[in-house]
């Protein structure tokens, strides 16, 4: 464990980034294009994606979702997705603790860095949907509080889509950052939206 941390530190130093930034980059994406991986079965295109329960699901050309691969899927593709599911199960063992630590430490991302780490990642986008986020300017002034929808749109408490610019700071919202009225309103919003954040 110590050697692994030292290796990460050395690699991060060589790249000129922090260990946290490196840890964002090395989470496997399984060659997904954003949140989907396309494959072909008998000339029909399908898209694989990771569901909210971190299991693979598949969508056909008519956007019909299925839990299992089409029966005519070739053996190599079946084996590939079996291996991907195993890797997903390994990855998620560490992510909840990692993100909980980021909440406690107050880790922040530049917006475009956060977009790459969460919105455009097939696993981390699921975690993004299970948290409340904020945007702030460079001086730390809170500008937006938002949720991430399945389509990766960013929605405020009134269901308006927000469009942060690339230099804003993004972080996981901690209750101590907001007043009681705002906290109560967001708790109600989460309840009405049937969203249970994985960090209580």
């Amino acid at each position: 464990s110590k050697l692994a941390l030292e290796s990460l530190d050395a690699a991060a130093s060589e790249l000129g980034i922090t260990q946290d930034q490196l840890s964002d980059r090395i989470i496997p994406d399984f060659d997904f294009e954003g949140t989907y991986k396309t494959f072909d079965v008998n000339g029909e295109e399908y898209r694989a994606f990771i569901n909210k329960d971190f299991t693979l699901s598949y969508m056909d050309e008519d956007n019909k979702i299925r839990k299992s691969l089409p029966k005519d899927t070739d053996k190599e593709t079946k084996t590939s997705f079996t291996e991907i599911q195993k890797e997903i199960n390994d990855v998620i063992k560490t992510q909840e603790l990692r993100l909980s630590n980021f909440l406690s430490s107050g880790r922040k991302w530049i917006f475009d860095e956060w977009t790459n780490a969460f919105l455009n990642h097939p696993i981390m986008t699921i975690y993004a949907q299970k948290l409340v986020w904020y945007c702030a300017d460079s001086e730390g002034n809170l500008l937006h509080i938002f949720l991430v929808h399945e389509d990766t749109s960013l929605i405020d408490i009134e269901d308006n889509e927000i469009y942060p610019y690339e230099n804003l700071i993004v972080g996981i919202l901690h209750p101590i950052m907001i007043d009681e009225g705002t906290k109560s309103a967001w708790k109600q919003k989460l309840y009405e939206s049937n969203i249970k954040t994985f960090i209580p």
Side-chain angles (χ1 to χ4, degrees), residues 113-156:
E113 179 185 59
W114 176 83
T115 297
N116 289 329
F118 289 92
L119 295 192
N120 296 334
H121 194 283
I123 294 178
M124 301 312 294
T125 191
I126 306 300
Y127 285 107
Q129 295 167 38
K130 297 173 181 282
L131 290 166
V132 183
W133 301 88
Y134 72 88
C135 278
D137 62 22
S138 59
E139 296 179 352
N141 298 307
L142 204 64
L143 302 178
H144 302 289
I145 300 174
F146 64 91
L147 299 171
V148 177
H149 274 201
E150 287 184 32
D151 63 0
T152 70
S153 58
L154 312 181
I155 304 297
D156 68 15

Side-chain angles (χ1 to χ4, degrees), residues 110-117 165-168:
I110 300 297
F111 180 69
D112 59 349
E113 179 185 59
W114 176 83
T115 297
N116 289 329
Y165 49 88
E166 60 183 15
N167 291 326
L168 285 184

Side-chain angles (χ1 to χ4, degrees), residues 49 51 57-60 62-68:
F49 65 96
N51 233 321
S57 291
Y58 311 93
M59 187 181 297
D60 64 19
D62 297 321
N63 293 326
K64 183 178 179 181
I65 296 173
R66 53 195 304 161
K67 283 286 191 180
S68 58

